[in-house]
Amino acid sequence: MKPSAFAYARPRALEEAFALLDKHGENAKLLAGGQSLLASLNMRLAAPEILVDIGAIPGLDGIAVRGQTLVIGARTTHRAIERSEAVAKHAPLLAQAAPHIAHVAIRNAGTLGGSLAMADPAAEWPACCVALQATIVVTSKKGERRVAATDFFKDLYTTALGAGELITAVEIPCVEKGERHAFLELVRRRGDYAIVGLAARARLKGKTLSGVQLVYLGVGVTPVQAKGAMAALEGKTADDAAIRAAQDAIARDLEPNADIYTSAEAKRHLARVLVARAVAALVG
Amino acid sequence: MNDRIDPHRLDALAPQASEVEAPPKPGTTKTAKPAKTQVGYVGQSVPRANAKRLLQGRGAYTDDLKFPRLAHVVFFRSPHAHARLKKLDLSRAARQPGVIAAFDGRAIADYCTPWVAVLGHLKGIKSPPQYAVAIDRACWQGEAVAAIVAETRAQAEDALGHVVAEWEELPVVTDMEDALANRTVIHPELGDNICFARSFETEGFDAAMKKADLVVEETYGFGRHTGVTMESRVILADYNAAEHSLTVYHATQAPHMMQDIFSRHLNIPEANVRVICKDVGGSFGIKVHVYPDEMATAALSVMLRRPVKFVADRLESFLTDIHAREHKATVRLACMKDGTIVGFDLDDLTAIGPYSVYPRTSGIEGNQVVNLTGGPYAHKAYRAKMNVVFTNKNVTCQYRAVGHPIAVALTEAIVDLAAQKLGMDPAEFRRKNLIADDAYPYSFPSGLKFEKLSHHQCLDKLLALMDYTGLRAEQAALRKQGIHRGIGLAAMIEVTNPSPAFYGVGGARISAQDGATVRLEPTGMVTCLVSVTEQGQGTEGVFTQVCADAVGVSIDKVRVITGDTGVTPYGGGTWASRGAGIGGEAVLQAGKALRANILDIAAAVLQVDRATLDVRANSVVDKASGEERLPLAEVGRIGYFRPDTLPMKFQAELTVTRHYTPREYGFTFTNGIQASYVEVDTDTGFVKLLRHWCVEDCGTVINPLLVDEQIRGGIVQGIGAAMLEECLYSAEGQLLNGSLADYLVPMTGDTPDIEIAHVSTPTRQSELGAKGVGEAGTAGAPGAVMNAINDALAPFDARVRVQPFTPERILKALGKI
Ligand SMILES: Cc1cc2nc3c(=O)[nH]c(=O)nc-3n(C[C@H](O)[C@H](O)[C@H](O)COP(=O)(O)OP(=O)(O)OC[C@H]3O[C@@H](n4cnc5c(N)ncnc54)[C@H](O)[C@@H]3O)c2cc1C
């Protein structure tokens, strides 16, 4: 398991990176934490000519609050997000989800931007970003553009990123008063990619839910918003009847693919279990 | 315990206490008559000498070796499970940068003869000849059909992409029952797909079973899994044309066995073949077999007259390291109303891939299942039928606990079911049926002979250790709150310290004896060379302890050397839980002989009666007073440099060798019992393993720390089998989860606390009294976990029978999906 030969560049500025991407086109790959990319090189699933390491480009990492927005640099590691007080305060969903991502050693290296660019349908960050209605900031030599997380994940391992573009940051609306977050995930071993996971978010007034977001991971080719279940809970008191309605809607919302260990039917069942648990967590 | 303690000896050791970790108090009770060894280090948790080195990253594994002109080989492997090679063109690959040579199976066969893995005592076992690199046809996905040798591994891998192969796919047999039906025969020349079959019946079986009040029957499935070693398979073969000699650096458990095999198949005189083991990073039985790609590597070294290295990468490991298990077995248990078991009836089917694995064969696991099913119980009637069939998947062979996890799980699951049907408590049901502790020696219906086991002591100790009654009360209380916990027990017997009956009688050139050479160095140091190998399990530490006690030196004076056929005595190596019991006894006897020889010299030097002297704490002392008479460094100085001062006819013998073979019993059986406590989330089918207990009787416990870690590690591998690990194949014979991302091994975070206690019934076949312990954990854990899950599911009238117990399978059993 040795990668085929590749060149390596470590640009010091975004412009340099864009120039390299321009020059090498398809044959260049951005390298962030390397936690997904290097494994695929070693397994010879990918054989780029050049790796463009974004590790030395200033301004790509860090966590900041700008007004009502939490801004997280693309190169911020999973671990930094996990340990950030600002994240815990303004986007508790991310703080809850972070410990589910792999293991500490991997979280120390893996990055938010890398995870979103990978777009693994069982990964935590993509589902969280959709649930939080985050905006992905994408930059190229032509400048910056902003893509809503809901529009970012196109297909299996496929995103709205175009040639020559890289993710520079993610903008997340800060949590509002009365807003609750819950992140649940079923894995057979701690740190594995989710069999089924759920990023849930709602405002709670008394026991009434509004602004409900239920975004599943591990059940489709992208993060999946369970729109029927969201509607079933919207404006409702979080009681058994509402939960049952949401569970029933799940059957229509999700078309999960089986994985090697879990059938589509089992995934759908687990998704139903999770929605009930998520509502309990949101109102609990 | 008093008769075991020599007070002088303890005094002498006292100043060194700080070097030795305070002996923990394991739940060890020496209930049986203790062994005759003098007590010192044996029985203490002495830290092993190599642990620090390994932890500091100073281990030296085969892959760490750097040789001038070292070449690297990679293999072009079949992408199909069964296919004829219509065309293989290596010419482009051979022209790639750095490539030294590219060969197909025919070219390599000129240097390495094929083998057929059968044994005389497994009557009727058959298998086709297997070549180092397959010729014309591949029989499983991953079988090598060409070898490419290059200056670097990366260059060799680059060249792989330039191999041109055209395949004609052949019908694939992946399902065991399909294989048994012989609709497609994988090796037509063999006539059918049955590698080995055995059936067995005690006299009057039918009549006995008819008299029973209750017969329960169930069918169980066991997934195919593998042993995942941290260090993958690796071999570096260095042929020297000038000497026509071959030195092989090999991550193996059995260097002498491999020496013989390299010699015979490469046609090099055995004396010219040397096998050296560097540090080995875990084996579990994976590294005790002959692998075609490793044989090819040795042949390539001969062909190219230069050192050649092969390292299996993790993807290759999953495709080619032996797999194990994959059984489907129906078992019936007949018993009386009062719970007395009358008999067991077994029908086992197991699939082994396209070849029986050389030289141990792939018939042993099924054979063990037949031998061991029902093992702990006192019934008299037994019938067994077993078929071992070929399939187009990777080969299977002996992996830690060979057959035991299957036999134990089958037995213990059906025992629990019978108890449930009779409304008896499973612990009571076992108490009623376990062979009585005073019934030994005992002949078991399958023909096994037990020297002395302690099932009842172990059961009692386990129930106390886990607070069985308290747990049952807790379980009942929680059930009312909708929390579903289960308790599972699994009694077991384990084959250890095998005699030649295991392989030798069948014609395999595998040594059942082991040897130790112990040498006093001129400085008073003791060097101990042993034929048993170190795989990371601490064997060398155990030998250090035994040797220090036997000679009478402190532990820092002993250096143990293993794993070099050019240096150590001849022996079997590490497998079947034999290292400490057999190798340890050889060390003990060699050490005692050296001690006697030391006393001979001292008596000559001091001109006193030898009987008045002893060796204690690195000196010859006066036996009665303990007063120092001659330090061992002085004995060494005189023995080696001034023998002229010794009496005329006296020859100092400061190097001695002793061997040991267990002979009285085919196997030195151990016994034990495990318990598992689990919680099943009945909504998701997820199982949380809460706690696990094991009470084990391995005879003399030489090092409680190492013994407990062997049991713990073994239990974790057993948990892997029960909960996570399975090599999944598609119907076309494609391995679906051949990486560590997809094949799930248990990890610490998900492992329950494991509590261990011991009962000690030393074997009287040896003076050391040690039985083996390496496989007990793996043997019993799957059965205990299975019973615990089924106990938790009992209120739902649901049972799971197919391992591993995935959430999917549990949800199905619960009728949720
Ligand atoms: C054992 C293991 C377990 C894991 N378990 C999980 C898990 O449970 N959940 C989970 O979510 N992840 C898991 N991961 C993946 C991990 O989170 C990765 O870190 C992450 O998917 C990729 O981030 P990275 O920074 O390492 O990216 P890299 O591996 O460097 O790159 C990944 C891809 O993203 C591209 N890329 C990187 N940065 C950018 C950018 N700023 N803009 C555009 N493209 C970019 C690269 O070109 C590449 O194609 C696991 C990884 C391992 C090794």
Side-chain angles (χ1 to χ4, degrees):
Chain A
M1 287 212 291
K2 307 284 178 204
S4 52
F6 55 83
Y8 171 83
R10 192 173 164 86
R12 309 259 149 197
L14 272 178
E15 295 67 36
E16 273 179 59
F18 295 142
L20 286 163
L21 292 180
D22 231 20
K23 184 167 164 213
H24 296 278
E26 292 265 279
N27 296 321
K29 270 266 176 208
L30 294 171
L31 173 68
Q35 296 302 296
S36 296
L37 182 59
L38 295 188
S40 74
L41 293 190
N42 284 341
M43 291 199 256
R44 294 190 176 227
L45 299 172
E49 271 169 17
I50 181 166
L51 294 189
V52 179
D53 184 345
I54 60 171
I57 299 172
L60 288 186
D61 63 5
I63 299 167
V65 183
R66 295 199 195 120
Q68 282 308 297
T69 306
L70 180 72
V71 183
I72 307 180
R75 215 180 52 221
T76 310
T77 63
H78 307 326
R79 188 69 167 157
I81 295 170
E82 182 181 0
R83 302 177 103 173
S84 157
E85 279 175 26
V87 169
K89 187 164 166 216
H90 299 293
L93 185 67
L94 299 182
Q96 284 185 46
H100 293 277
I101 303 174
H103 310 276
V104 174
I106 293 157
R107 295 204 290 276
N108 278 334
T111 67
L112 175 62
S115 172
L116 297 178
M118 263 315 279
D120 190 306
E124 287 77 4
W125 291 151
C128 288
C129 285
V130 174
L132 293 170
Q133 290 165 303
T135 303
I136 319 287
V137 183
V138 172
T139 312
S140 68
K141 68 174 182 191
K142 291 187 219 132
E144 232 173 50
R145 68 184 180 107
R146 287 180 154 67
V147 186
T150 36
D151 299 327
F152 188 76
F153 303 101
K154 296 289 186 200
D155 204 341
L156 192 65
Y157 303 116
T158 309
T159 66
L161 277 176
E165 287 188 322
L166 62 83
I167 302 171
T168 42
V170 176
E171 296 171 348
I172 296 159
C174 289
V175 70
E176 289 171 16
K177 203 159 174 275
E179 185 178 326
R180 303 282 185 97
H181 294 176
F183 188 89
L184 299 172
E185 175 172 317
L186 291 167
V187 284
R188 290 170 69 198
R189 301 180 308 175
R190 215 163 298 177
D192 282 351
Y193 278 105
I195 296 173
V196 180
L198 175 56
R201 172 173 167 238
R203 275 187 302 276
L204 194 67
K205 209 178 237 168
K207 278 206 125 191
T208 307
L209 300 164
S210 64
V212 179
Q213 282 290 334
L214 298 169
V215 183
Y216 280 91
L217 47 150
V219 297
V221 292
T222 61
V224 181
Q225 269 179 316
K227 291 199 171 135
M230 282 156 56
L233 292 172
E234 189 65 37
K236 300 278 169 20
T237 305
D239 55 15
D240 285 353
I243 290 171
R244 221 166 301 124
Q247 286 185 308
D248 291 345
I250 291 292
R252 295 182 295 274
D253 283 340
L254 305 183
E255 283 293 336
N257 295 322
D259 63 32
I260 41 179
Y261 293 106
T262 316
S263 66
E265 201 190 352
K267 284 200 168 192
R268 194 178 278 123
H269 169 81
L270 295 173
R272 290 164 53 99
V273 173
L274 284 193
V275 78
R277 291 184 179 179
V279 172
L282 288 174
V283 302
Chain B
M1 262 177 73
N2 270 350
D3 57 335
R4 297 191 70 189
I5 293 177
D6 175 346
H8 301 290
R9 174 75 215 200
L10 284 186
D11 281 353
L13 281 175
Q16 301 191 16
S18 61
E19 290 177 24
V20 176
E21 251 181 28
K25 298 251 177 294
T28 316
T29 4
K30 309 271 176 190
T31 36
K33 183 178 165 291
K36 280 170 282 174
T37 45
Q38 186 186 17
V39 161
Y41 295 106
V42 170
Q44 292 194 48
S45 291
V46 183
R48 52 183 162 134
N50 58 15
K52 219 185 221 170
R53 180 171 61 79
L54 295 171
L55 282 173
Q56 290 184 2
R58 297 305 308 269
Y61 298 86
T62 301
D63 192 34
D64 295 324
L65 292 171
K66 302 262 186 294
F67 274 64
R69 299 180 68 244
L70 179 61
H72 301 258
V73 59
V74 297
F75 293 92
F76 181 76
R77 298 180 181 281
S78 170
H80 305 293
H82 197 193
R84 189 167 307 287
L85 197 50
K86 287 201 320 205
K87 183 183 150 195
L88 180 68
D89 182 356
L90 302 174
S91 57
R92 261 184 58 203
R95 289 197 302 272
Q96 296 307 306
V99 173
I100 296 161
F103 294 114
D104 65 5
R106 261 194 198 85
I108 290 170
D110 286 343
Y111 289 82
C112 180
T113 55
W115 51 85
V116 177
V118 295
L119 285 171
H121 63 313
L122 302 181
K123 289 215 170 44
I125 187 169
K126 59 183 190 260
S127 185
Q130 187 176 14
Y131 288 82
V133 168
I135 298 173
D136 294 340
R137 182 174 72 128
C139 291
W140 85 89
Q141 180 218 0
E143 185 171 19
V145 294
I148 295 175
V149 187
E151 301 289 348
T152 70
R153 170 88 187 201
Q155 286 172 324
E157 286 188 19
D158 283 344
L160 272 185
H162 299 274
V163 172
V164 180
E166 276 176 35
W167 298 93
E168 174 197 340
E169 288 190 53
L170 299 170
V172 170
V173 184
T174 51
D175 179 77
M176 294 196 277
E177 276 155 335
D178 278 355
L180 188 64
N182 289 313
R183 277 185 294 269
T184 302
V185 176
I186 296 173
H187 306 294
E189 69 279 17
L190 297 182
D192 58 32
N193 289 326
I194 297 165
C195 167
F196 177 51
R198 182 181 164 197
S199 59
F200 172 90
E201 189 171 328
T202 52
E203 232 180 86
F205 173 81
D206 280 328
M209 294 291 273
K210 260 187 213 124
K211 280 198 212 119
D213 297 322
L214 172 72
V215 177
V216 283
E217 175 180 324
E218 250 183 355
T219 299
Y220 303 94
F222 299 86
R224 160 186 272 258
H225 52 96
T226 186
V228 180
T229 56
M230 282 209 280
E231 179 208 29
S232 63
R233 289 191 293 114
V234 47
I235 182 169
L236 190 164
D238 185 13
Y239 176 69
N240 184 322
E243 292 175 343
H244 187 40
S245 71
L246 181 72
T247 306
V248 184
Y249 300 86
H250 197 186
T252 178
Q253 300 170 231
H256 283 100
M257 179 192 93
M258 290 311 302
Q259 179 192 26
D260 170 72
I261 284 169
F262 289 128
S263 159
R264 282 188 294 122
H265 291 281
L266 300 175
N267 197 23
I268 298 171
E270 193 187 77
N272 293 7
V273 178
R274 181 172 173 191
V275 178
I276 299 172
C277 307
K278 304 293 290 176
D279 285 320
V280 177
S283 292
F284 317 122
I286 300 302
K287 296 174 183 166
V288 78
H289 310 293
V290 169
Y291 287 91
D293 46 21
E294 295 178 10
M295 293 302 286
T297 305
L300 287 163
S301 176
V302 178
M303 294 163 80
L304 299 170
R305 299 183 167 213
R306 62 191 288 176
V308 180
K309 182 169 80 172
F310 168 65
V311 184
D313 68 31
R314 195 56 76 182
L315 302 182
E316 289 181 297
S317 298
F318 279 108
L319 287 172
T320 61
D321 286 11
I322 58 122
H323 292 176
R325 324 297 189 223
E326 194 174 10
H327 289 250
K328 185 173 177 189
T330 299
V331 64
R332 287 198 304 148
L333 180 157
C335 61
M336 306 310 292
K337 274 201 201 88
D338 70 351
T340 308
I341 301 177
V342 174
F344 285 86
D345 188 5
L346 167 75
D347 185 350
D348 182 30
L349 175 61
T350 177
I352 57 155
Y355 294 99
S356 169
V357 174
Y358 193 55
R360 287 160 197 262
T361 82
S362 304
I364 297 286
E365 169 147 305
N367 207 45
Q368 296 272 68
V369 175
V370 171
N371 283 342
L372 301 169
T373 295
Y377 301 105
H379 58 282
K380 295 275 179 281
Y382 182 40
R383 181 170 72 180
K385 186 173 135 211
M386 187 260 308
N387 280 297
V388 178
V389 295
F390 295 116
T391 48
N392 293 113
K393 300 182 192 173
N394 182 18
V395 294
T396 76
C397 200
Q398 283 78 295
Y399 159 57
R400 196 173 195 174
V402 194
H404 292 70
I406 313 296
V408 174
L410 289 174
T411 305
E412 295 302 294
I414 202 76
V415 158
D416 261 22
L417 187 63
Q420 194 192 57
K421 290 261 145 72
L422 291 173
M424 278 179 78
D425 176 83
E428 277 320 301
F429 188 82
R430 284 176 175 78
R431 195 188 306 284
K432 187 158 193 80
N433 286 292
L434 287 167
I435 300 168
D437 287 359
D438 60 3
Y440 300 92
Y442 188 90
S443 287
F444 187 70
S446 71
L448 303 174
K449 296 210 164 29
F450 304 142
E451 178 194 0
K452 184 137 177 56
L453 303 177
S454 57
H455 287 300
H456 289 267
Q457 279 184 73
C458 287
L459 174 66
D460 290 344
K461 194 158 196 164
L462 177 85
L463 298 180
L465 184 70
M466 67 192 284
D467 182 18
Y468 184 75
T469 338
L471 274 191
R472 284 281 177 216
E474 178 179 287
Q475 177 190 33
L478 289 173
R479 236 172 222 175
K480 289 192 195 118
Q481 303 167 30
I483 294 170
H484 296 282
R485 293 192 171 178
I487 300 166
L489 302 177
M492 58 195 177
I493 54 170
E494 190 206 346
V495 165
T496 78
N497 300 0
S499 77
F502 212 8
Y503 293 112
V505 296
R509 295 172 68 85
I510 297 172
S511 170
Q513 65 83 54
D514 271 276
T517 295
V518 178
R519 178 170 75 222
L520 183 74
E521 306 292 347
T523 54
M525 295 289 292
V526 176
T527 302
C528 177
L529 304 120
V530 195
S531 54
V532 170
T533 50
E534 170 72 79
Q535 319 293 311
Q537 80 278 45
T539 327
E540 289 178 353
V542 163
F543 297 152
T544 310
Q545 287 174 265
V546 173
C547 182
D549 281 357
V551 180
V553 297
S554 56
I555 202 147
D556 57 308
K557 301 286 184 236
V558 181
R559 292 284 176 278
V560 171
I561 295 171
T562 63
D564 185 345
T565 60
V567 168
T568 71
Y570 200 92
T574 298
W575 40 275
S577 297
R578 64 190 296 285
I582 297 178
E585 180 69 8
V587 171
L588 174 64
Q589 296 307 331
K592 283 176 61 179
L594 177 63
R595 182 191 207 124
N597 291 0
I598 289 169
L599 292 179
D600 284 342
I601 299 181
V605 172
L606 299 169
Q607 297 289 307
V608 297
D609 179 2
R610 184 178 175 284
T612 65
L613 300 174
D614 195 8
V615 184
R616 289 176 204 155
N618 312 321
S619 286
V620 176
V621 298
D622 179 77
K623 202 180 214 162
S625 67
E627 184 195 334
E628 178 176 283
R629 300 299 308 273
L630 205 60
L632 288 189
E634 190 59 11
V635 175
R637 188 187 67 82
I638 297 168
Y640 290 111
F641 308 128
R642 294 305 307 274
D644 56 305
T645 64
L646 293 167
M648 200 49 165
K649 291 261 162 80
F650 188 91
Q651 174 58 50
E653 291 291 354
L654 292 175
T655 302
V656 288
T657 300
R658 290 292 182 273
H659 297 89
Y660 174 65
T661 322
R663 298 279 300 277
E664 259 175 89
Y665 289 85
F667 307 98
T668 307
F669 273 94
T670 67
N671 66 281
I673 184 163
Q674 296 190 21
S676 162
Y677 190 41
V678 306
E679 185 172 310
V680 179
D681 179 335
T682 51
D683 290 330
T684 62
F686 279 65
V687 177
K688 188 155 187 219
L689 303 175
L690 301 168
R691 288 174 78 182
H692 202 102
W693 299 265
C694 177
V695 178
E696 169 70 7
D697 185 345
C698 63
T700 303
V701 175
I702 299 171
N703 185 321
L705 184 65
L706 285 176
V707 164
D708 287 2
E709 291 317 301
Q710 278 296 309
I711 293 177
R712 277 203 182 90
I715 287 172
V716 173
Q717 275 181 316
I719 286 172
M723 301 307 300
L724 297 165
E725 297 185 50
E726 182 168 16
C727 302
L728 295 167
Y729 276 88
S730 72
E732 297 76 38
Q734 295 289 316
L735 182 61
L736 300 173
N737 59 344
S739 79
L740 279 175
D742 295 325
Y743 180 93
L744 308 179
V745 290
M747 312 224 283
T748 22
D750 307 300
T751 303
D753 279 346
I754 300 168
E755 265 184 78
I756 298 162
H758 301 276
V759 168
S760 178
T761 312
T763 171
R764 288 170 198 240
Q765 296 175 78
S766 72
E767 190 175 332
L768 186 61
K771 303 173 180 176
V773 76
E775 299 167 283
T778 311
V785 170
M786 177 177 187
N787 281 349
I789 293 173
N790 283 330
D791 187 42
L793 296 180
F796 303 90
D797 221 10
R799 276 174 76 78
V800 283
R801 303 173 187 91
V802 180
Q803 297 183 14
F805 304 115
T806 59
E808 176 98 22
R809 284 174 174 153
I810 292 172
L811 287 173
K812 281 215 171 96
L814 284 164
K816 301 255 163 128
I817 56 170

